[in-house]
Amino acid sequence: MFDYNIYLQKNDSMSFEEALEIYNAIFNILECKDEYLHELWKEVIDSAIVYSNMRTNWNYFSREEKQEKDKLRTSYHNTFMINLKAFHKLAEQLELDTSWTEKLGSSEDRKRWGDFAGYILCFENIRAR
């Protein structure tokens, strides 16, 4: 069983509301019609899908499977983070509001960034209705 309230008590947690605030700030940036910015966002989405899929499956892997796939999971996480950083960097170059990164926190807080990948997919899924 998953208890969201217990999760929120962790130092590196991210609430639904925090994630939604960051996501909406990113969508304000996407009002910019720069094609490359939109391509980078698509790469963020694609890498969030790959990483979140692995992260979800992690719950069902045996100990052996986890050992076998741990480096690949880390690689997927790194790819998501690299893509999000590239998106941020271009937004900065375009002089767009990038204050959302402060709310996301340091990239050294990998769990928080990984949680955000899952939230992105949640919001994208609901937005697609």
Side-chain angles (χ1 to χ4, degrees):
M1 182 170 147
F2 173 69
D3 189 325
Y4 180 67
N5 292 318
I6 291 174
Y7 162 77
L8 288 177
Q9 293 173 13
K10 297 180 180 187
N11 289 337
D12 54 2
S13 69
M14 177 182 290
S15 72
F16 182 89
E17 293 78 14
E18 283 178 285
L20 184 58
E21 184 178 341
I22 296 166
Y23 177 83
N24 285 333
I26 290 171
F27 256 78
N28 287 335
I29 290 171
L30 290 171
E31 289 179 12
C32 173
K33 300 299 181 203
D34 185 87
E35 267 186 56
Y36 188 51
L37 185 70
H38 286 265
E39 287 177 30
L40 287 179
W41 180 246
K42 177 72 168 89
E43 290 181 21
V44 169
I45 296 296
D46 290 344
S47 58
I49 289 169
V50 171
Y51 173 65
S52 293
N53 184 49
M54 173 68 85
R55 196 172 184 189
T56 300
N57 286 328
W58 200 257
N59 294 316
Y60 305 99
F61 288 153
S62 67
R63 182 181 308 218
E64 294 78 23
E65 287 172 311
K66 286 180 179 178
Q67 289 175 345
E68 178 185 317
K69 296 178 190 277
D70 190 46
K71 287 183 182 177
L72 184 59
R73 180 184 53 91
T74 299
S75 172
Y76 291 162
H77 193 180
N78 290 343
T79 300
F80 168 74
M81 293 176 68
I82 289 165
N83 289 340
L84 191 55
K85 287 177 185 180
F87 175 82
H88 169 258
K89 184 74 171 167
L90 179 58
E92 270 186 335
Q93 291 171 355
L94 294 170
E95 298 181 356
L96 302 170
D97 181 9
T98 59
S99 61
W100 56 270
T101 56
E102 295 166 18
K103 295 172 185 145
L104 182 56
S106 166
S107 62
E108 292 182 19
D109 194 351
R110 294 177 59 83
K111 289 182 181 178
R112 190 168 161 88
W113 280 56
D115 292 350
F116 186 59
Y119 278 124
I120 288 173
L121 298 183
C122 173
F123 301 140
E124 286 289 314
N125 185 289
I126 294 168
R127 194 172 75 85
R129 288 186 76 198

